[in-house]
PDB file of all heavy atoms in Angstrom:
ATOM      1  N   ASP A 592    -121.424 -54.286  40.858  1.00  0.00           N
ATOM      2  CA  ASP A 592    -120.443 -55.232  40.093  1.00  0.00           C
ATOM      3  C   ASP A 592    -121.255 -56.195  39.269  1.00  0.00           C
ATOM      4  O   ASP A 592    -120.893 -56.561  38.182  1.00  0.00           O
ATOM      5  CB  ASP A 592    -119.578 -55.923  41.176  1.00  0.00           C
ATOM      6  CG  ASP A 592    -118.528 -55.019  41.866  1.00  0.00           C
ATOM      7  OD1 ASP A 592    -118.163 -53.954  41.254  1.00  0.00           O
ATOM      8  OD2 ASP A 592    -117.915 -55.437  42.935  1.00  0.00           O
ATOM      9  N   LEU A 593    -122.280 -56.709  39.891  1.00  0.00           N
ATOM     10  CA  LEU A 593    -123.102 -57.674  39.195  1.00  0.00           C
ATOM     11  C   LEU A 593    -123.880 -56.977  37.955  1.00  0.00           C
ATOM     12  O   LEU A 593    -124.037 -57.497  37.036  1.00  0.00           O
ATOM     13  CB  LEU A 593    -124.189 -58.225  40.101  1.00  0.00           C
ATOM     14  CG  LEU A 593    -123.540 -59.158  41.237  1.00  0.00           C
ATOM     15  CD1 LEU A 593    -124.587 -59.552  42.161  1.00  0.00           C
ATOM     16  CD2 LEU A 593    -122.886 -60.320  40.640  1.00  0.00           C
ATOM     17  N   TYR A 594    -124.297 -55.620  38.137  1.00  0.00           N
ATOM     18  CA  TYR A 594    -124.992 -55.081  37.156  1.00  0.00           C
ATOM     19  C   TYR A 594    -124.090 -54.570  35.929  1.00  0.00           C
ATOM     20  O   TYR A 594    -124.581 -54.657  34.831  1.00  0.00           O
ATOM     21  CB  TYR A 594    -125.750 -53.849  37.811  1.00  0.00           C
ATOM     22  CG  TYR A 594    -126.601 -53.001  36.819  1.00  0.00           C
ATOM     23  CD1 TYR A 594    -127.585 -53.540  36.100  1.00  0.00           C
ATOM     24  CD2 TYR A 594    -126.044 -51.627  36.531  1.00  0.00           C
ATOM     25  CE1 TYR A 594    -128.212 -52.627  35.128  1.00  0.00           C
ATOM     26  CE2 TYR A 594    -126.814 -50.868  35.660  1.00  0.00           C
ATOM     27  CZ  TYR A 594    -127.805 -51.440  35.051  1.00  0.00           C
ATOM     28  OH  TYR A 594    -128.500 -50.637  34.062  1.00  0.00           O
ATOM     29  N   LEU A 595    -122.940 -54.095  36.330  1.00  0.00           N
ATOM     30  CA  LEU A 595    -122.027 -53.556  35.222  1.00  0.00           C
ATOM     31  C   LEU A 595    -121.152 -54.539  34.750  1.00  0.00           C
ATOM     32  O   LEU A 595    -120.293 -54.145  33.918  1.00  0.00           O
ATOM     33  CB  LEU A 595    -121.249 -52.305  35.849  1.00  0.00           C
ATOM     34  CG  LEU A 595    -122.236 -51.155  36.187  1.00  0.00           C
ATOM     35  CD1 LEU A 595    -121.356 -49.956  36.830  1.00  0.00           C
ATOM     36  CD2 LEU A 595    -123.043 -50.617  35.115  1.00  0.00           C
ATOM     37  N   ALA A 596    -121.192 -55.770  35.151  1.00  0.00           N
ATOM     38  CA  ALA A 596    -120.025 -56.726  34.653  1.00  0.00           C
ATOM     39  C   ALA A 596    -120.454 -57.102  33.316  1.00  0.00           C
ATOM     40  O   ALA A 596    -121.598 -57.250  32.886  1.00  0.00           O
ATOM     41  CB  ALA A 596    -120.208 -58.045  35.609  1.00  0.00           C
ATOM     42  N   PRO A 597    -119.433 -57.310  32.505  1.00  0.00           N
ATOM     43  CA  PRO A 597    -119.531 -57.754  31.071  1.00  0.00           C
ATOM     44  C   PRO A 597    -120.140 -59.214  31.050  1.00  0.00           C
ATOM     45  O   PRO A 597    -119.694 -60.054  31.767  1.00  0.00           O
ATOM     46  CB  PRO A 597    -118.209 -57.665  30.407  1.00  0.00           C
ATOM     47  CG  PRO A 597    -117.201 -57.773  31.695  1.00  0.00           C
ATOM     48  CD  PRO A 597    -117.955 -57.074  32.766  1.00  0.00           C
ATOM     49  N   ARG A 598    -121.166 -59.359  30.206  1.00  0.00           N
ATOM     50  CA  ARG A 598    -121.792 -60.601  30.140  1.00  0.00           C
ATOM     51  C   ARG A 598    -121.412 -61.402  29.027  1.00  0.00           C
ATOM     52  O   ARG A 598    -121.662 -62.640  28.973  1.00  0.00           O
ATOM     53  CB  ARG A 598    -123.334 -60.365  30.064  1.00  0.00           C
ATOM     54  CG  ARG A 598    -123.942 -60.037  31.419  1.00  0.00           C
ATOM     55  CD  ARG A 598    -123.902 -61.186  32.291  1.00  0.00           C
ATOM     56  NE  ARG A 598    -124.608 -61.003  33.543  1.00  0.00           N
ATOM     57  CZ  ARG A 598    -124.019 -60.868  34.758  1.00  0.00           C
ATOM     58  NH1 ARG A 598    -122.596 -60.941  34.704  1.00  0.00           N
ATOM     59  NH2 ARG A 598    -124.623 -60.678  35.821  1.00  0.00           N
ATOM     60  N   GLN A 599    -120.697 -60.877  28.008  1.00  0.00           N
ATOM     61  CA  GLN A 599    -120.399 -61.642  26.818  1.00  0.00           C
ATOM     62  C   GLN A 599    -119.033 -61.291  26.316  1.00  0.00           C
ATOM     63  O   GLN A 599    -118.622 -60.157  26.309  1.00  0.00           O
ATOM     64  CB  GLN A 599    -121.522 -61.361  25.609  1.00  0.00           C
ATOM     65  CG  GLN A 599    -121.153 -62.303  24.458  1.00  0.00           C
ATOM     66  CD  GLN A 599    -122.242 -61.907  23.346  1.00  0.00           C
ATOM     67  OE1 GLN A 599    -123.085 -61.017  23.452  1.00  0.00           O
ATOM     68  NE2 GLN A 599    -122.312 -62.730  22.277  1.00  0.00           N
ATOM     69  N   ARG A 600    -118.271 -62.293  25.874  1.00  0.00           N
ATOM     70  CA  ARG A 600    -116.861 -62.128  25.419  1.00  0.00           C
ATOM     71  C   ARG A 600    -117.013 -61.913  23.809  1.00  0.00           C
ATOM     72  O   ARG A 600    -117.447 -62.835  23.136  1.00  0.00           O
ATOM     73  CB  ARG A 600    -116.046 -63.347  25.673  1.00  0.00           C
ATOM     74  CG  ARG A 600    -114.544 -63.106  25.330  1.00  0.00           C
ATOM     75  CD  ARG A 600    -113.785 -64.299  25.671  1.00  0.00           C
ATOM     76  NE  ARG A 600    -113.603 -64.475  27.226  1.00  0.00           N
ATOM     77  CZ  ARG A 600    -114.303 -65.299  28.025  1.00  0.00           C
ATOM     78  NH1 ARG A 600    -115.091 -66.258  27.440  1.00  0.00           N
ATOM     79  NH2 ARG A 600    -114.004 -65.347  29.278  1.00  0.00           N
ATOM     80  N   LYS A 601    -116.684 -60.802  23.387  1.00  0.00           N
ATOM     81  CA  LYS A 601    -116.637 -60.426  22.024  1.00  0.00           C
ATOM     82  C   LYS A 601    -115.343 -60.270  21.376  1.00  0.00           C
ATOM     83  O   LYS A 601    -114.558 -59.736  21.972  1.00  0.00           O
ATOM     84  CB  LYS A 601    -117.595 -59.223  21.609  1.00  0.00           C
ATOM     85  CG  LYS A 601    -119.050 -59.346  21.960  1.00  0.00           C
ATOM     86  CD  LYS A 601    -119.823 -58.067  21.528  1.00  0.00           C
ATOM     87  CE  LYS A 601    -121.242 -58.309  21.785  1.00  0.00           C
ATOM     88  NZ  LYS A 601    -122.071 -57.019  21.368  1.00  0.00           N
ATOM     89  N   MET A 602    -115.147 -60.940  20.180  1.00  0.00           N
ATOM     90  CA  MET A 602    -113.955 -60.741  19.529  1.00  0.00           C
ATOM     91  C   MET A 602    -113.732 -59.442  18.790  1.00  0.00           C
ATOM     92  O   MET A 602    -114.672 -59.248  17.849  1.00  0.00           O
ATOM     93  CB  MET A 602    -113.623 -61.879  18.563  1.00  0.00           C
ATOM     94  CG  MET A 602    -113.643 -63.324  19.153  1.00  0.00           C
ATOM     95  SD  MET A 602    -112.369 -63.497  20.555  1.00  0.00           S
ATOM     96  CE  MET A 602    -110.851 -63.379  19.455  1.00  0.00           C
ATOM     97  N   ARG A 603    -112.824 -58.662  19.213  1.00  0.00           N
ATOM     98  CA  ARG A 603    -112.750 -57.309  18.576  1.00  0.00           C
ATOM     99  C   ARG A 603    -111.861 -57.446  17.227  1.00  0.00           C
ATOM    100  O   ARG A 603    -110.844 -58.093  17.293  1.00  0.00           O
ATOM    101  CB  ARG A 603    -112.093 -56.337  19.570  1.00  0.00           C
ATOM    102  CG  ARG A 603    -112.023 -54.952  18.961  1.00  0.00           C
ATOM    103  CD  ARG A 603    -111.506 -53.943  19.998  1.00  0.00           C
ATOM    104  NE  ARG A 603    -112.679 -53.843  21.025  1.00  0.00           N
ATOM    105  CZ  ARG A 603    -112.569 -53.563  22.274  1.00  0.00           C
ATOM    106  NH1 ARG A 603    -111.342 -53.381  22.751  1.00  0.00           N
ATOM    107  NH2 ARG A 603    -113.567 -53.459  23.101  1.00  0.00           N
ATOM    108  N   LEU A 604    -112.415 -56.830  16.244  1.00  0.00           N
ATOM    109  CA  LEU A 604    -111.670 -57.007  14.886  1.00  0.00           C
ATOM    110  C   LEU A 604    -110.667 -55.962  14.864  1.00  0.00           C
ATOM    111  O   LEU A 604    -110.870 -54.836  14.975  1.00  0.00           O
ATOM    112  CB  LEU A 604    -112.798 -56.778  13.745  1.00  0.00           C
ATOM    113  CG  LEU A 604    -112.332 -56.947  12.381  1.00  0.00           C
ATOM    114  CD1 LEU A 604    -111.973 -58.624  12.215  1.00  0.00           C
ATOM    115  CD2 LEU A 604    -113.322 -56.690  11.364  1.00  0.00           C
ATOM    116  N   THR A 605    -109.475 -56.506  14.826  1.00  0.00           N
ATOM    117  CA  THR A 605    -108.278 -55.590  14.592  1.00  0.00           C
ATOM    118  C   THR A 605    -107.823 -55.666  13.224  1.00  0.00           C
ATOM    119  O   THR A 605    -107.348 -56.781  12.788  1.00  0.00           O
ATOM    120  CB  THR A 605    -107.060 -56.140  15.605  1.00  0.00           C
ATOM    121  OG1 THR A 605    -106.768 -57.436  15.300  1.00  0.00           O
ATOM    122  CG2 THR A 605    -107.730 -55.976  17.080  1.00  0.00           C
ATOM    123  N   ILE A 606    -107.777 -54.565  12.653  1.00  0.00           N
ATOM    124  CA  ILE A 606    -107.253 -54.407  11.182  1.00  0.00           C
ATOM    125  C   ILE A 606    -106.108 -53.467  11.187  1.00  0.00           C
ATOM    126  O   ILE A 606    -106.209 -52.282  11.673  1.00  0.00           O
ATOM    127  CB  ILE A 606    -108.438 -53.911  10.345  1.00  0.00           C
ATOM    128  CG1 ILE A 606    -109.671 -54.867  10.350  1.00  0.00           C
ATOM    129  CG2 ILE A 606    -107.945 -53.642   8.928  1.00  0.00           C
ATOM    130  CD1 ILE A 606    -110.918 -54.342   9.553  1.00  0.00           C
ATOM    131  N   THR A 607    -105.038 -53.926  10.577  1.00  0.00           N
ATOM    132  CA  THR A 607    -103.921 -52.956  10.397  1.00  0.00           C
ATOM    133  C   THR A 607    -104.176 -52.121   9.154  1.00  0.00           C
ATOM    134  O   THR A 607    -104.617 -52.688   8.137  1.00  0.00           O
ATOM    135  CB  THR A 607    -102.587 -53.883  10.517  1.00  0.00           C
ATOM    136  OG1 THR A 607    -102.744 -54.923   9.323  1.00  0.00           O
ATOM    137  CG2 THR A 607    -102.422 -54.617  11.753  1.00  0.00           C
ATOM    138  N   PRO A 608    -103.439 -50.932   9.163  1.00  0.00           N
ATOM    139  CA  PRO A 608    -103.688 -50.263   7.952  1.00  0.00           C
ATOM    140  C   PRO A 608    -103.011 -50.840   6.717  1.00  0.00           C
ATOM    141  O   PRO A 608    -103.370 -50.497   5.486  1.00  0.00           O
ATOM    142  CB  PRO A 608    -103.028 -48.932   8.293  1.00  0.00           C
ATOM    143  CG  PRO A 608    -102.979 -48.861   9.733  1.00  0.00           C
ATOM    144  CD  PRO A 608    -102.906 -50.242  10.171  1.00  0.00           C
ATOM    145  N   GLU A 609    -101.990 -51.726   6.886  1.00  0.00           N
ATOM    146  CA  GLU A 609    -101.233 -52.289   5.748  1.00  0.00           C
ATOM    147  C   GLU A 609    -102.247 -53.322   5.039  1.00  0.00           C
ATOM    148  O   GLU A 609    -102.060 -53.500   3.746  1.00  0.00           O
ATOM    149  CB  GLU A 609    -100.009 -53.005   6.212  1.00  0.00           C
ATOM    150  CG  GLU A 609     -98.962 -52.087   6.612  1.00  0.00           C
ATOM    151  CD  GLU A 609     -98.958 -51.598   7.951  1.00  0.00           C
ATOM    152  OE1 GLU A 609    -100.000 -52.034   8.784  1.00  0.00           O
ATOM    153  OE2 GLU A 609     -98.312 -50.624   8.414  1.00  0.00           O
ATOM    154  N   ASP A 610    -103.165 -53.839   5.659  1.00  0.00           N
ATOM    155  CA  ASP A 610    -104.091 -54.849   5.253  1.00  0.00           C
ATOM    156  C   ASP A 610    -105.127 -54.239   4.232  1.00  0.00           C
ATOM    157  O   ASP A 610    -105.600 -54.788   3.289  1.00  0.00           O
ATOM    158  CB  ASP A 610    -104.801 -55.608   6.263  1.00  0.00           C
ATOM    159  CG  ASP A 610    -103.942 -56.468   7.079  1.00  0.00           C
ATOM    160  OD1 ASP A 610    -102.829 -56.727   6.634  1.00  0.00           O
ATOM    161  OD2 ASP A 610    -104.301 -56.927   8.183  1.00  0.00           O
ATOM    162  N   LEU A 611    -105.333 -52.753   4.532  1.00  0.00           N
ATOM    163  CA  LEU A 611    -106.404 -52.227   3.555  1.00  0.00           C
ATOM    164  C   LEU A 611    -105.643 -51.795   2.274  1.00  0.00           C
ATOM    165  O   LEU A 611    -106.413 -51.348   1.322  1.00  0.00           O
ATOM    166  CB  LEU A 611    -106.766 -50.929   4.380  1.00  0.00           C
ATOM    167  CG  LEU A 611    -107.626 -51.286   5.624  1.00  0.00           C
ATOM    168  CD1 LEU A 611    -108.059 -49.926   6.344  1.00  0.00           C
ATOM    169  CD2 LEU A 611    -108.704 -52.192   5.439  1.00  0.00           C
ATOM    170  N   VAL A 612    -104.407 -51.608   2.280  1.00  0.00           N
ATOM    171  CA  VAL A 612    -103.789 -51.207   1.002  1.00  0.00           C
ATOM    172  C   VAL A 612    -103.777 -52.413   0.039  1.00  0.00           C
ATOM    173  O   VAL A 612    -103.258 -53.561   0.488  1.00  0.00           O
ATOM    174  CB  VAL A 612    -102.207 -50.746   1.285  1.00  0.00           C
ATOM    175  CG1 VAL A 612    -101.614 -50.244   0.015  1.00  0.00           C
ATOM    176  CG2 VAL A 612    -102.367 -49.558   2.281  1.00  0.00           C
ATOM    177  N   PRO A 613    -104.183 -52.332  -1.244  1.00  0.00           N
ATOM    178  CA  PRO A 613    -104.178 -53.379  -2.185  1.00  0.00           C
ATOM    179  C   PRO A 613    -102.800 -53.762  -2.519  1.00  0.00           C
ATOM    180  O   PRO A 613    -101.838 -52.998  -2.550  1.00  0.00           O
ATOM    181  CB  PRO A 613    -104.827 -52.909  -3.427  1.00  0.00           C
ATOM    182  CG  PRO A 613    -104.770 -51.471  -3.309  1.00  0.00           C
ATOM    183  CD  PRO A 613    -104.776 -51.122  -1.778  1.00  0.00           C
ATOM    184  N   GLN A 614    -102.622 -55.124  -2.673  1.00  0.00           N
ATOM    185  CA  GLN A 614    -101.174 -55.629  -3.121  1.00  0.00           C
ATOM    186  C   GLN A 614    -100.841 -55.356  -4.598  1.00  0.00           C
ATOM    187  O   GLN A 614    -101.518 -55.972  -5.505  1.00  0.00           O
ATOM    188  CB  GLN A 614    -101.177 -57.099  -2.837  1.00  0.00           C
ATOM    189  CG  GLN A 614    -101.419 -57.486  -1.359  1.00  0.00           C
ATOM    190  CD  GLN A 614    -100.282 -57.097  -0.503  1.00  0.00           C
ATOM    191  OE1 GLN A 614     -99.114 -56.978  -0.958  1.00  0.00           O
ATOM    192  NE2 GLN A 614    -100.468 -56.592   0.747  1.00  0.00           N
ATOM    193  N   LEU A 615    -100.099 -54.327  -4.776  1.00  0.00           N
ATOM    194  CA  LEU A 615     -99.738 -53.948  -6.179  1.00  0.00           C
ATOM    195  C   LEU A 615     -98.461 -54.571  -6.539  1.00  0.00           C
ATOM    196  O   LEU A 615     -97.538 -54.739  -5.680  1.00  0.00           O
ATOM    197  CB  LEU A 615     -99.565 -52.337  -6.262  1.00  0.00           C
ATOM    198  CG  LEU A 615    -100.967 -51.648  -6.062  1.00  0.00           C
ATOM    199  CD1 LEU A 615    -100.798 -50.166  -6.036  1.00  0.00           C
ATOM    200  CD2 LEU A 615    -102.065 -52.116  -7.032  1.00  0.00           C
ATOM    201  N   PRO A 616     -98.253 -54.793  -7.911  1.00  0.00           N
ATOM    202  CA  PRO A 616     -96.867 -55.350  -8.189  1.00  0.00           C
ATOM    203  C   PRO A 616     -95.787 -54.224  -8.050  1.00  0.00           C
ATOM    204  O   PRO A 616     -96.105 -53.094  -8.087  1.00  0.00           O
ATOM    205  CB  PRO A 616     -97.050 -55.794  -9.749  1.00  0.00           C
ATOM    206  CG  PRO A 616     -98.221 -54.910 -10.090  1.00  0.00           C
ATOM    207  CD  PRO A 616     -99.157 -54.692  -8.982  1.00  0.00           C
ATOM    208  N   ARG A 617     -94.512 -54.802  -8.064  1.00  0.00           N
ATOM    209  CA  ARG A 617     -93.456 -53.842  -7.926  1.00  0.00           C
ATOM    210  C   ARG A 617     -93.134 -53.026  -9.207  1.00  0.00           C
ATOM    211  O   ARG A 617     -93.472 -53.759 -10.316  1.00  0.00           O
ATOM    212  CB  ARG A 617     -92.201 -54.587  -7.481  1.00  0.00           C
ATOM    213  CG  ARG A 617     -92.230 -55.117  -6.025  1.00  0.00           C
ATOM    214  CD  ARG A 617     -90.961 -55.820  -5.774  1.00  0.00           C
ATOM    215  NE  ARG A 617     -90.368 -56.650  -6.816  1.00  0.00           N
ATOM    216  CZ  ARG A 617     -89.247 -57.116  -6.972  1.00  0.00           C
ATOM    217  NH1 ARG A 617     -88.304 -56.475  -6.258  1.00  0.00           N
ATOM    218  NH2 ARG A 617     -88.863 -57.957  -8.000  1.00  0.00           N
ATOM    219  N   PRO A 618     -92.718 -51.831  -9.212  1.00  0.00           N
ATOM    220  CA  PRO A 618     -92.522 -51.135 -10.430  1.00  0.00           C
ATOM    221  C   PRO A 618     -91.353 -51.778 -11.305  1.00  0.00           C
ATOM    222  O   PRO A 618     -91.449 -51.768 -12.474  1.00  0.00           O
ATOM    223  CB  PRO A 618     -92.048 -49.808  -9.952  1.00  0.00           C
ATOM    224  CG  PRO A 618     -92.677 -49.566  -8.598  1.00  0.00           C
ATOM    225  CD  PRO A 618     -92.632 -50.994  -8.058  1.00  0.00           C
ATOM    226  N   GLN A 619     -90.527 -52.545 -10.705  1.00  0.00           N
ATOM    227  CA  GLN A 619     -89.315 -53.119 -11.342  1.00  0.00           C
ATOM    228  C   GLN A 619     -89.935 -54.184 -12.284  1.00  0.00           C
ATOM    229  O   GLN A 619     -89.371 -54.567 -13.371  1.00  0.00           O
ATOM    230  CB  GLN A 619     -88.351 -53.775 -10.408  1.00  0.00           C
ATOM    231  CG  GLN A 619     -87.462 -52.694  -9.803  1.00  0.00           C
ATOM    232  CD  GLN A 619     -88.147 -52.260  -8.468  1.00  0.00           C
ATOM    233  OE1 GLN A 619     -89.280 -52.550  -8.188  1.00  0.00           O
ATOM    234  NE2 GLN A 619     -87.639 -51.243  -7.893  1.00  0.00           N
ATOM    235  N   ASP A 620     -91.110 -54.856 -11.855  1.00  0.00           N
ATOM    236  CA  ASP A 620     -91.654 -55.946 -12.671  1.00  0.00           C
ATOM    237  C   ASP A 620     -92.501 -55.404 -13.928  1.00  0.00           C
ATOM    238  O   ASP A 620     -93.048 -56.247 -14.607  1.00  0.00           O
ATOM    239  CB  ASP A 620     -92.582 -56.877 -11.654  1.00  0.00           C
ATOM    240  CG  ASP A 620     -91.794 -57.428 -10.584  1.00  0.00           C
ATOM    241  OD1 ASP A 620     -90.624 -57.600 -10.800  1.00  0.00           O
ATOM    242  OD2 ASP A 620     -92.389 -57.690  -9.614  1.00  0.00           O
ATOM    243  N   LEU A 621     -92.798 -54.108 -14.012  1.00  0.00           N
ATOM    244  CA  LEU A 621     -93.661 -53.533 -14.890  1.00  0.00           C
ATOM    245  C   LEU A 621     -92.799 -52.700 -16.001  1.00  0.00           C
ATOM    246  O   LEU A 621     -93.481 -52.027 -16.702  1.00  0.00           O
ATOM    247  CB  LEU A 621     -94.690 -52.568 -14.210  1.00  0.00           C
ATOM    248  CG  LEU A 621     -95.510 -53.167 -13.222  1.00  0.00           C
ATOM    249  CD1 LEU A 621     -96.399 -52.138 -12.581  1.00  0.00           C
ATOM    250  CD2 LEU A 621     -96.437 -54.283 -13.753  1.00  0.00           C
ATOM    251  N   GLN A 622     -91.553 -52.971 -16.039  1.00  0.00           N
ATOM    252  CA  GLN A 622     -90.734 -52.337 -17.103  1.00  0.00           C
ATOM    253  C   GLN A 622     -91.174 -52.824 -18.462  1.00  0.00           C
ATOM    254  O   GLN A 622     -91.683 -53.933 -18.501  1.00  0.00           O
ATOM    255  CB  GLN A 622     -89.360 -52.544 -16.803  1.00  0.00           C
ATOM    256  CG  GLN A 622     -88.762 -51.705 -15.627  1.00  0.00           C
ATOM    257  CD  GLN A 622     -87.328 -51.961 -15.288  1.00  0.00           C
ATOM    258  OE1 GLN A 622     -86.819 -52.941 -15.624  1.00  0.00           O
ATOM    259  NE2 GLN A 622     -86.811 -50.968 -14.555  1.00  0.00           N
ATOM    260  N   PRO A 623     -90.963 -52.042 -19.648  1.00  0.00           N
ATOM    261  CA  PRO A 623     -90.246 -50.897 -19.652  1.00  0.00           C
ATOM    262  C   PRO A 623     -91.094 -49.613 -19.464  1.00  0.00           C
ATOM    263  O   PRO A 623     -92.156 -49.641 -19.787  1.00  0.00           O
ATOM    264  CB  PRO A 623     -89.695 -50.823 -21.138  1.00  0.00           C
ATOM    265  CG  PRO A 623     -90.749 -51.514 -21.886  1.00  0.00           C
ATOM    266  CD  PRO A 623     -91.289 -52.675 -20.929  1.00  0.00           C
ATOM    267  N   PHE A 624     -90.414 -48.594 -18.935  1.00  0.00           N
ATOM    268  CA  PHE A 624     -91.028 -47.288 -18.859  1.00  0.00           C
ATOM    269  C   PHE A 624     -89.968 -46.133 -18.759  1.00  0.00           C
ATOM    270  O   PHE A 624     -88.859 -46.499 -18.358  1.00  0.00           O
ATOM    271  CB  PHE A 624     -92.031 -47.003 -17.670  1.00  0.00           C
ATOM    272  CG  PHE A 624     -91.459 -47.598 -16.303  1.00  0.00           C
ATOM    273  CD1 PHE A 624     -90.780 -46.763 -15.610  1.00  0.00           C
ATOM    274  CD2 PHE A 624     -91.648 -48.797 -15.822  1.00  0.00           C
ATOM    275  CE1 PHE A 624     -90.196 -47.058 -14.413  1.00  0.00           C
ATOM    276  CE2 PHE A 624     -91.140 -49.188 -14.580  1.00  0.00           C
ATOM    277  CZ  PHE A 624     -90.339 -48.307 -13.894  1.00  0.00           C
ATOM    278  N   PRO A 625     -90.210 -45.009 -19.131  1.00  0.00           N
ATOM    279  CA  PRO A 625     -89.161 -43.969 -19.127  1.00  0.00           C
ATOM    280  C   PRO A 625     -88.670 -43.626 -17.701  1.00  0.00           C
ATOM    281  O   PRO A 625     -89.467 -43.530 -16.781  1.00  0.00           O
ATOM    282  CB  PRO A 625     -89.788 -42.775 -19.803  1.00  0.00           C
ATOM    283  CG  PRO A 625     -91.291 -42.885 -19.643  1.00  0.00           C
ATOM    284  CD  PRO A 625     -91.474 -44.520 -19.708  1.00  0.00           C
ATOM    285  N   THR A 626     -87.388 -43.496 -17.596  1.00  0.00           N
ATOM    286  CA  THR A 626     -86.809 -43.219 -16.269  1.00  0.00           C
ATOM    287  C   THR A 626     -85.791 -42.106 -16.243  1.00  0.00           C
ATOM    288  O   THR A 626     -85.687 -41.366 -15.293  1.00  0.00           O
ATOM    289  CB  THR A 626     -86.087 -44.468 -15.705  1.00  0.00           C
ATOM    290  OG1 THR A 626     -85.101 -44.877 -16.649  1.00  0.00           O
ATOM    291  CG2 THR A 626     -87.062 -45.670 -15.491  1.00  0.00           C
ATOM    292  N   VAL A 627     -85.128 -41.812 -17.315  1.00  0.00           N
ATOM    293  CA  VAL A 627     -83.991 -40.859 -17.334  1.00  0.00           C
ATOM    294  C   VAL A 627     -84.311 -39.870 -18.589  1.00  0.00           C
ATOM    295  O   VAL A 627     -84.957 -40.194 -19.511  1.00  0.00           O
ATOM    296  CB  VAL A 627     -82.657 -41.416 -17.426  1.00  0.00           C
ATOM    297  CG1 VAL A 627     -82.209 -42.196 -16.201  1.00  0.00           C
ATOM    298  CG2 VAL A 627     -82.453 -42.314 -18.677  1.00  0.00           C
ATOM    299  N   CYS A 628     -83.766 -38.594 -18.387  1.00  0.00           N
ATOM    300  CA  CYS A 628     -83.790 -37.652 -19.473  1.00  0.00           C
ATOM    301  C   CYS A 628     -82.545 -37.886 -20.333  1.00  0.00           C
ATOM    302  O   CYS A 628     -81.358 -37.703 -19.935  1.00  0.00           O
ATOM    303  CB  CYS A 628     -83.786 -36.335 -18.838  1.00  0.00           C
ATOM    304  SG  CYS A 628     -83.743 -34.943 -20.121  1.00  0.00           S
ATOM    305  N   SER A 629     -82.913 -38.332 -21.658  1.00  0.00           N
ATOM    306  CA  SER A 629     -81.731 -38.571 -22.592  1.00  0.00           C
ATOM    307  C   SER A 629     -81.299 -37.348 -23.376  1.00  0.00           C
ATOM    308  O   SER A 629     -80.166 -37.109 -23.529  1.00  0.00           O
ATOM    309  CB  SER A 629     -82.193 -39.694 -23.612  1.00  0.00           C
ATOM    310  OG  SER A 629     -82.436 -40.926 -22.780  1.00  0.00           O
ATOM    311  N   ILE A 630     -82.482 -36.612 -23.825  1.00  0.00           N
ATOM    312  CA  ILE A 630     -81.992 -35.455 -24.681  1.00  0.00           C
ATOM    313  C   ILE A 630     -82.792 -34.223 -24.289  1.00  0.00           C
ATOM    314  O   ILE A 630     -83.997 -34.519 -24.013  1.00  0.00           O
ATOM    315  CB  ILE A 630     -82.368 -35.753 -26.209  1.00  0.00           C
ATOM    316  CG1 ILE A 630     -81.475 -37.023 -26.701  1.00  0.00           C
ATOM    317  CG2 ILE A 630     -82.095 -34.525 -27.176  1.00  0.00           C
ATOM    318  CD1 ILE A 630     -81.916 -37.518 -28.061  1.00  0.00           C
TER     319      ILE A 630
END
Side-chain angles (χ1 to χ4, degrees):
D592 289 343
L593 296 176
Y594 174 65
L595 298 176
R598 282 288 184 252
Q599 186 177 4
R600 187 179 287 109
K601 290 186 177 180
M602 299 301 294
R603 184 166 291 149
L604 192 61
T605 57
I606 299 176
T607 57
E609 290 79 10
D610 296 340
L611 300 176
V612 179
Q614 296 295 326
L615 297 177
R617 296 186 305 158
Q619 290 82 2
D620 301 336
L621 303 176
Q622 289 178 339
F624 52 83
T626 55
V627 295
C628 178
S629 298
I630 299 175

